[in-house]
Amino acid sequence: MMLLCALRVPIAFAMAIVGIAGYAYMRDWNWTVAFAMTQTKLYETGRNYTLSVVPLFILMGNFVTRAGMSQELFRAAYAFIGHLRGGLAMATVWASAGFGGICGSSIATAATFAKVAYPSMKKFGYSDRLAAGVVAGGGTLGIMIPPSTIMVIYGIFTETNIGKLFAAGIFPGIVATVLLCLAVAWMTWRDPQAGPPGERSSWSVRLEAIRHVWPVVLLFLVVIGGIYAGAFTATEGAGIGAGGALVFALARRALGWRTFVEVLIESVRTTSMLFMILIGALIFANFINYTTMPSDLKGFVTQFALHPILVIVAICAVYVVLGTAMEELSMILLTVPLFFPVVTALGFDPVWFGIIIVIVVQIGLISPPVGMNIFVVKSLLRHLTIGTVFRGVLPFNVALVALLAIVVAFPSIATWLPGFMK
């Protein structure tokens, strides 16, 4: 499969080809059975009601982006902390966290704030290194703060409750936001000229800024609060969120007929890409499970009688290394069929492991040489060199590694809130 990827075969097709050929080989080269399995996976994935949560949350994020809510979030965060040293960068982090609560995509969050926050930081004399780094690093919060497409895919793939995954991401998301702000503080402490303070806003300006972000807060509370309280499922919550985002976009007169069609087309393209990767991964996972490799790996690990936490540390190390060389969604879909049975056999909570997965994806998104957020920022800010962006994200990478260590050491950060779900 890695050879096919090296030959520039798309990862979805590489996984599917190996899965089909491997399944046929395991059945004495019976291609009829292999293609029947493929047909079944295609059909089941396409008609899976739970998977409708993916396009709905993508649609919600696209409506929110077109409604200009990201700019309101940034203005509100800037009004409160923009006067601090590095305050604009910290405002970018907090605004990214708020935007992540209604978007669910890391790449979309980074792309949005490359347009919204970067010009303001340059206006106040911020260094390119800090400005680019905080946009890429803050963008990773898009998949930690629920709703999150990675959490949805993990939940469907492992049959873990998506609502509990959303609840589990709230406290780690807050911790991640604080750690990223500490990374900004450290960078401006070392080089005060990298993030000079902005103007202090009056309380009237701050209250006015808060007044403009109430739709974002309301949308988040309705969707996540309703799922947490058991009022509706994650799929129903996604539908309510998409409908609410459409209403807000229409109310702000930000959605003409042409823009509406563009949003639909963009959502369809993103959904199709995710579904192609998911179908390829399911075919590949079917082959992997048929070979008994997961159970063999579980037996191999348990025979050494290692402390379970050491196994988790080793898995995290593997993920961090893989994140420097592989696209994150493909990495997760490839490895979860192998690691998940081992983790559950050791007695760990699958919800907690799901948060670990999200954190290692966050790290991979800003890890050279193939971190997606790095290249999103570079493609939108063409005047920057790739080396500048690489140097800018390193402190934020360290902050996310610290987050990983904290969640591994203190699992209750992720598991406490889901324990109260109805």
Side-chain angles (χ1 to χ4, degrees), residues 87-101:
L88 266 174
M90 294 181 188
T92 302
V93 172
W94 283 103
S96 297
F99 190 71

Side-chain angles (χ1 to χ4, degrees), residues 248-297:
F248 287 134
L250 291 172
R252 289 174 173 238
R253 301 182 184 277
L255 204 64
W257 176 249
R258 178 176 294 181
T259 308
F260 179 71
V261 173
E262 288 174 356
V263 167
L264 293 181
I265 292 173
E266 183 180 348
S267 301
V268 167
R269 283 176 175 164
T270 306
T271 302
S272 301
M273 179 267 293
L274 290 174
F275 267 61
M276 287 299 293
I277 295 175
L278 180 60
I279 291 169
L282 288 169
I283 294 171
F284 184 78
N286 214 39
F287 160 57
I288 291 293
N289 291 330
Y290 195 79
T291 64
T292 71
M293 187 185 294
S295 58
D296 293 342
L297 181 62

Side-chain angles (χ1 to χ4, degrees), residues 1 10 14-15 35 38 60 63 118 133-134 140 156 177 180 189 199 201 204 263 302 310 321 332 356 389 391 410:
M1 194 212 69
M15 288 189 289
F35 285 122
T38 304
M60 183 178 81
F63 279 141
Y118 182 83
V134 76
T140 64
I156 293 169
T177 305
L180 292 176
W189 173 75
E199 301 173 357
S201 301
S204 61
V263 167
T302 53
L310 293 178
V321 173
I332 297 307
I356 296 294
V389 186
R391 289 192 297 273
F410 304 101

Side-chain angles (χ1 to χ4, degrees), residues 141-214:
L141 295 171
I143 58 168
M144 175 55 77
I145 308 291
S148 162
T149 51
I150 291 292
M151 289 181 186
V152 171
I153 297 296
Y154 171 86
I156 293 169
F157 213 58
T158 62
E159 298 182 353
T160 303
N161 186 286
I162 296 173
K164 288 190 174 184
L165 286 169
F166 283 176
I170 293 175
F171 285 154
I174 295 171
V175 174
T177 305
V178 172
L179 289 173
L180 292 176
C181 286
L182 289 176
V184 172
W186 181 81
M187 293 177 75
T188 53
W189 173 75
R190 290 200 61 191
D191 181 11
Q193 299 303 315
E199 301 173 357
R200 182 184 291 272
S201 301
S202 64
W203 276 103
S204 61
V205 173
R206 292 174 179 177
L207 293 175
E208 180 68 15
I210 291 176
R211 188 176 69 83
H212 285 290
V213 299
W214 71 265

Side-chain angles (χ1 to χ4, degrees), residues 18-86:
V18 173
I20 295 169
Y23 198 85
Y25 169 76
M26 295 299 295
R27 300 295 292 265
D28 297 325
W29 293 111
N30 190 330
W31 292 98
T32 302
V33 174
F35 285 122
M37 178 272 294
T38 304
Q39 180 183 4
T40 302
K41 287 298 176 187
L42 282 165
Y43 178 73
E44 289 179 350
T45 305
R47 69 183 294 274
N48 189 332
Y49 171 74
T50 308
L51 275 174
S52 60
V53 71
V54 175
L56 287 171
F57 274 133
I58 291 171
L59 186 63
M60 183 178 81
N62 286 335
F63 279 141
V64 163
T65 303
R66 295 301 178 114
M69 292 184 187
S70 57
Q71 296 174 345
E72 303 293 350
L73 284 166
F74 179 70
R75 289 194 193 101
Y78 170 70
F80 281 89
I81 59 176
H83 62 280
L84 302 175
R85 190 170 63 190

